[in-house]
Amino acid sequence: MNFRKSVEKLARALYWVAGASIIAMMLITCADVVLRFLRRPIPGTYELVCFFGALAVSFAMAHTSLLKGHVAVSVVVELFSIKIQGYIESVTNMLGLILFSMIAWRSILYANDLRATGEVSMTLQMPFYPFVYGIGFSAAGVCLVLLAYLIENVTRIFDK
């Protein structure tokens, strides 16, 4: 299996986790609304929704990058030749790779600090660090997607 296919598989798996997080957010919120009506709210609903929201957003990033679903301003870039467009896309991928590498690295370090200090949420006393590790892992997934695109761009540039 080549690198691109492996990255696509990872991005798809992360995307499913993001979808499951959104479903969990919906179920918890709906259950809390119904139970509040019955005067039995779910303690920590806000915390759970925040944690699942962080997972949903971060785990969807790799798949969004894979589909190039992010906002891109290409009006000016489309005026250039295909080769110049390839160079611009390569530089953009490199800068994104640097940014998401730093996000992954700093997230892991921050999660290590949170684990060492035993930081937990206020109501449920859930530790924060697993969610921050998840954010770091998903940022690393984005790095792999950007690396796959960078390899394709560089290969395309030098093949012409």
Side-chain angles (χ1 to χ4, degrees), residues 28-148:
I28 290 168
T29 302
C30 290
D32 187 52
V33 168
V34 170
L35 291 173
R36 277 184 191 276
F37 182 71
L38 302 172
R39 307 239 186 262
R40 300 265 187 210
I42 300 172
T45 299
Y46 180 75
E47 290 175 1
L48 290 172
V49 168
C50 288
F51 286 143
F52 284 124
L55 290 179
V57 169
S58 63
F59 277 54
M61 287 188 307
H63 192 258
T64 303
S65 295
L66 186 67
L67 297 178
K68 296 187 178 186
H70 49 275
V71 175
V73 180
S74 60
V75 175
V76 176
V77 176
E78 289 175 354
L79 299 174
F80 297 120
S81 69
I82 299 295
K83 192 166 188 169
I84 301 282
Q85 288 179 23
Y87 285 126
I88 292 171
E89 192 171 339
S90 294
V91 169
T92 303
N93 287 335
M94 247 186 294
L95 292 173
L97 185 59
I98 291 167
L99 173 68
F100 281 98
S101 296
M102 290 173 53
I103 290 171
W105 170 55
R106 295 306 300 178
S107 293
I108 300 300
L109 292 180
Y110 183 50
N112 288 339
D113 288 345
L114 290 173
R115 189 180 60 188
T117 60
E119 189 82 25
V120 294
S121 65
M122 290 183 76
T123 305
L124 297 176
Q125 301 296 302
M126 285 180 65
F128 287 118
Y129 72 88
F131 298 96
V132 180
Y133 279 132
I135 292 168
F137 179 72
S138 64
V142 174
C143 288
L144 293 174
V145 170
L146 294 173
L147 181 61

Side-chain angles (χ1 to χ4, degrees), residues 4-26:
R4 169 75 185 242
K5 293 290 181 191
S6 299
V7 169
E8 288 175 2
K9 211 174 207 181
L10 174 66
R12 202 172 314 113
L14 292 175
Y15 192 62
W16 278 100
V17 173
S21 297
I22 290 171
I23 291 170
M25 288 169 50
M26 179 194 64

